[in-house]
Amino acid sequence: MEVVVPILTPFNPDGTINREALKTHATNLLEKGIDLIFLNGTTGLGPALSKEEKKETLRTLSDVADRVIFQVGELNLNNVLELVKFSSDYGVRAIASYSPYYFPRLPEKWLIKYFQTIASHSSHPVYLYNYPLATGYDISAELLSKFGLELAGVKDTNQDLAHSMKFKTTFPKMKVYNGSDTLAFYSLLSLDGTVASMSNCLPTVFVEMKRAISQGDVKKALVHQRLITSIVELARKYGQLGALYVLTEMTQGYSVGRPRPPIFPLEEGEERELKKEVENFIKGLGVKA
Ligand code: FW2
């Protein structure tokens, strides 16, 4: 049972990556009990990072590479393979990739070929990052099975838990994580864990939820899940990806820089409003973030 943080990528005002802030944030999350870091994911603005920036994030976290899943997806397979090769110098836990996206009506065969090519070049375990809502393609357990493609793991960002569970029943050895904050409790309970963006700003809540589950205290764990779901709902009103920077700074007490447009930082008034809403909420519950 693992809590995986899809770590946000801190940027400087000039749009470069704030490496120091990334390191500080990663160190704090691991110290608080987060198990693994998913690097260059959606929350990390992976699709908006260049190949060189993806390398830079891994270089920055090289000290904790064994706790890192390195996301390498790009729309140029040569770049992807360069990142796969680059990762072979680091002892990462696994590499991962979302499927090709944007281009409509890609044949299933090509989607599978993309992952086969990655797997044949990687010395590390390869995880699928399946996010149909974002990519337009569902790389389901059925599809992998149809083409006989076995991967070491999957992060399935899906509101349908049964869809994620199907990977486990089809491929019992596969590491299976669901990537929805609102299903984190259920993912910890029934899969190998959760990849949850809110664990950037609520690491202790996630770690406590995991502890409660392992102690069989379902009631307590569900209180944590409800808190997570409520904060997601608040954050979504302001644009979840941008709001997360404000929430993380607020709850963790250090700067995580800012997002990079087109993921815009919150405006001053929005930031004030969000902080007020969340403060009142957390205070009311008396929990540690
Ligand atoms: C990532 C995640 C979490 C997302 C989810 C999408 O890479 O950021 O899939 O927060 O809203 O795994």
Side-chain angles (χ1 to χ4, degrees):
M1 199 199 299
E2 288 166 323
V3 177
V4 186
V5 61
I7 199 164
L8 56 75
T9 303
F11 291 96
N12 293 308
D14 66 359
T16 54
I17 292 176
N18 183 334
R19 295 182 59 158
E20 207 176 305
L22 177 59
K23 206 163 177 172
T24 303
H25 188 38
T27 307
N28 169 58
L29 295 174
L30 293 174
E31 275 173 2
K32 287 197 166 152
I34 295 291
D35 298 293
L36 294 172
I37 292 170
F38 192 84
L39 198 54
N40 309 327
T42 306
T43 309
L45 311 190
L49 298 177
S50 69
K51 174 187 61 165
E52 292 310 318
E53 287 176 328
K54 289 194 180 82
K55 290 182 186 172
E56 195 178 338
T57 58
L58 181 54
R59 270 193 216 103
T60 305
L61 300 190
S62 59
D63 289 353
V64 291
D66 60 324
R67 311 276 293 276
V68 166
I69 301 170
F70 183 52
Q71 200 290 122
V72 297
E74 297 246 344
L75 287 180
N76 175 343
L77 187 52
N78 286 334
N79 284 350
V80 176
L81 296 182
E82 187 179 319
L83 288 167
V84 170
K85 186 154 182 265
F86 173 79
S87 75
S88 65
D89 290 338
Y90 297 82
V92 296
R93 181 68 61 99
I95 60 162
S97 180
Y98 30 72
S99 74
Y101 53 96
Y102 184 78
F103 300 109
R105 292 179 285 283
L106 293 176
E108 287 179 341
K109 203 167 65 179
W110 294 3
L111 298 169
I112 293 293
K113 212 168 174 175
Y114 172 87
F115 288 102
Q116 278 167 336
T117 309
I118 293 176
S120 68
H121 284 76
S122 176
S123 54
H124 297 299
V126 176
Y127 289 6
L128 159 69
Y129 178 7
N130 189 43
Y131 192 0
L133 183 66
T135 64
Y137 293 100
D138 182 12
I139 316 293
S140 62
E142 286 87 347
L143 185 65
L144 294 182
S145 173
K146 179 171 161 187
F147 285 87
L149 177 59
E150 283 200 37
L151 296 172
V154 57
K155 174 176 74 150
D156 191 31
T157 295
N158 211 303
Q159 285 299 311
D160 177 2
L161 193 68
H163 186 280
S164 304
M165 291 179 81
K166 187 81 183 160
F167 286 101
K168 205 71 192 166
T169 47
T170 311
F171 304 104
K173 281 197 256 153
M174 199 175 196
K175 283 262 187 195
V176 182
Y177 304 91
N178 180 281
S180 308
D181 286 285
T182 49
L183 292 177
F185 163 80
Y186 305 93
S187 317
L188 286 166
L189 198 63
S190 53
L191 301 168
D192 292 295
T194 178
V195 186
S197 60
M198 283 292 135
S199 59
N200 278 281
C201 61
L202 302 171
T204 306
V205 174
F206 277 86
V207 171
E208 285 298 318
M209 181 164 71
K210 176 176 135 171
R211 180 171 306 138
I213 293 172
S214 66
Q215 291 168 348
D217 193 343
V218 167
K219 250 192 184 163
K220 186 169 170 194
L222 276 171
V223 170
H224 290 100
Q225 177 62 69
R226 271 185 230 119
L227 167 64
I228 293 160
T229 303
S230 305
I231 305 279
V232 173
E233 282 164 7
L234 286 180
R236 277 188 189 154
K237 288 202 291 187
Y238 300 86
Q240 188 180 330
L241 289 171
L244 195 59
Y245 290 77
V246 174
L247 292 175
T248 303
E249 181 167 334
M250 174 187 160
T251 60
Q252 302 308 297
Y254 50 77
S255 168
V256 286
R258 52 166 72 200
R260 184 169 66 188
I263 305 303
F264 289 95
L266 266 53
E267 288 163 12
E268 248 174 61
E270 293 175 320
E271 192 170 324
R272 249 196 329 271
E273 191 60 28
L274 171 64
K275 279 184 179 162
K276 203 165 72 198
E277 284 198 78
V278 172
E279 247 163 38
N280 290 340
F281 195 82
I282 292 188
K283 232 188 260 158
L285 285 171
V287 293
K288 254 201 252 148

